[in-house]
């Protein structure tokens, strides 16, 4: 480990083929799905709250919560959600000590993006993230799914493209040696998606500068092979 004083935040983001079209019920289903799946990775994430005018108000605005293994929706808060629902919708974990957040953006009639941030990242091991990716890939067509560290850490090398980070799913078919800088490639093929999860390091140390360097090297390799898309390919509305 290098002698650094990083303050990392883990980020999960991606673009899905999904029609929301201001459909609040579809958005609720998406938030509910991610709540259930993230809870399998990080047990402290048990609910999504709306934003409020103050922290006190926000702590009371629990939109959904996992109870006895099921997601329960608060009907009163749902009414407020329906009134304020827009192109960009953000919820948070309602936990001051373990503050995570999720935002969903309805970019076009057919593409939705999601972004998740969590300051507690120790449980996000490669195996857990791969499992989460595979569940998402079994439900929707995915244009990309990136997991990386942000915050006070070295930045991804391409600000206009998805970060390779700890791993990235891309809808491209790859052989084992097609990305020479990666430690592992996991091929995905199901009824919805055909692509590969590219893992630069079997163990990514967010406190080690070398891990970020290796990840950025893989990003350069993917870009040189025209495999790493630009954000502008998907985000057309905002």
């Amino acid at each position: 480990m290098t002698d650094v004083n990083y303050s990392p935040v883990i980020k999960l983001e991606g673009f899905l083929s999904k029609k929301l079209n201001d459909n609040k019920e579809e958005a609720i289903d998406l938030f509910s799905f991610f709540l259930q799946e993230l809870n399998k990775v990080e047990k402290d994430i048990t609910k999504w709250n709306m934003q409020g005018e103050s922290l006190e108000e926000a702590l009371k605005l629990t939109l959904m919560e996992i109870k006895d293994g099921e997601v329960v929706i608060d009907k009163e808060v749902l009414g407020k959600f329906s009134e304020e629902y827009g192109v960009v919708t953000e919820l948070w974990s309602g936990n001051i000590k373990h503050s995570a957040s999720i935002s969903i953006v309805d970019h076009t009639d057919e593409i939705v993006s999601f972004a998740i941030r969590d300051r507690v990242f120790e449980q996000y091991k490669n195996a857990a993230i791969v499992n989460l990716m595979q569940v998402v890939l079994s439900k929707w067509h995915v244009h990309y799914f990136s997991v990386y560290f942000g915050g006070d850490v070295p930045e991804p090398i391409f600000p206009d493209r998805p970060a390779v980070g700890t791993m990235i799913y891309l809808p491209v078919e790859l052989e084992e040696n097609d990305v020479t800088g990666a430690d592992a490639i996991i091929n995905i093929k199901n009824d919805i998606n055909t692509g590969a999860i590219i893992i630069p390091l079997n163990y990514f140390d967010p406190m080690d500068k070398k891990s970020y360097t290796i990840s950025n090297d893989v990003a350069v390799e993917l870009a040189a092979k025209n495999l790493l898309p630009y954000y502008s390919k998907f985000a057309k509305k905002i």
Side-chain angles (χ1 to χ4, degrees):
M1 180 182 295
T2 56
D3 184 19
V4 295
N5 187 27
Y6 293 152
S7 179
V9 177
I10 197 162
K11 298 183 176 183
L12 300 82
E13 66 175 36
F15 278 75
L16 313 171
S17 286
K18 183 174 176 62
K19 291 186 178 182
L20 289 186
N21 296 339
D22 297 324
N23 188 320
K24 303 171 186 64
E25 289 76 16
E26 289 285 341
I28 287 291
D29 287 345
L30 202 54
F31 281 121
S32 176
F33 166 80
F34 277 111
L35 178 58
Q36 287 182 307
E37 295 305 319
L38 287 171
N39 177 256
K40 296 175 184 177
V41 178
E42 180 50 76
K43 296 299 182 185
D44 286 345
I45 300 178
T46 60
K47 57 186 175 180
W48 292 134
N49 280 33
M50 291 184 62
Q51 308 291 326
E53 295 295 327
S54 65
L55 176 59
E56 182 180 9
E57 181 186 18
L59 287 169
K60 296 177 181 178
L61 292 175
T62 300
L63 174 62
M64 60 183 67
E65 185 171 6
I66 295 178
K67 295 181 178 179
D68 298 325
E70 300 292 332
V71 175
V72 178
I73 309 293
D74 186 296
K75 293 183 179 179
E76 183 176 344
V77 180
L78 178 61
K80 180 176 176 63
F81 174 87
S82 298
E83 292 175 2
E84 298 183 4
Y85 178 75
V87 172
V88 181
T89 307
E90 182 171 1
L91 303 176
W92 72 295
S93 59
N95 185 330
I96 298 174
K97 292 183 178 180
H98 184 166
S99 182
S101 65
I102 179 171
S103 62
I104 291 175
V105 181
D106 189 5
H107 289 274
T108 70
D109 289 341
E110 297 181 351
I111 295 180
V112 174
S113 69
F114 65 90
I116 298 160
R117 293 169 52 93
D118 194 347
R119 291 193 176 277
V120 180
F121 55 81
E122 287 77 10
Q123 299 304 316
Y124 290 86
K125 309 297 185 184
N126 277 8
I129 298 172
V130 169
N131 286 340
L132 173 60
M133 280 191 173
Q134 289 176 328
V135 174
V136 174
L137 289 162
S138 71
K139 289 182 66 69
W140 298 288
H141 175 66
V142 177
H143 298 275
Y144 83 88
F145 189 155
S146 170
V147 181
Y148 64 103
F149 284 97
D152 184 17
V153 299
E155 295 183 355
I157 194 166
F158 297 117
D160 53 353
R161 306 183 194 221
V164 171
T166 64
M167 68 181 70
I168 186 170
Y169 167 82
L170 294 171
V172 294
E173 295 188 67
L174 296 174
E175 299 293 335
E176 184 176 351
N177 297 319
D178 282 348
V179 185
T180 58
D183 271 0
I185 293 175
I186 300 174
N187 287 304
I188 301 293
K189 191 174 183 63
N190 57 37
D191 292 340
I192 306 173
N193 292 284
T194 298
I197 300 172
I198 301 140
I199 303 174
L201 288 164
N202 288 326
Y203 173 67
F204 188 106
D205 183 351
M207 303 304 291
D208 187 348
K209 184 178 180 180
K210 184 178 179 181
S211 290
Y212 298 93
T213 300
I214 292 171
S215 178
N216 280 337
D217 287 346
V218 172
V220 170
E221 183 179 355
L222 290 169
K225 295 176 178 178
N226 294 318
L227 297 175
L228 193 63
Y230 289 94
Y231 284 123
S232 58
K233 180 179 179 180
F234 316 113
K236 298 177 181 178
K237 178 180 287 188
I238 61 174

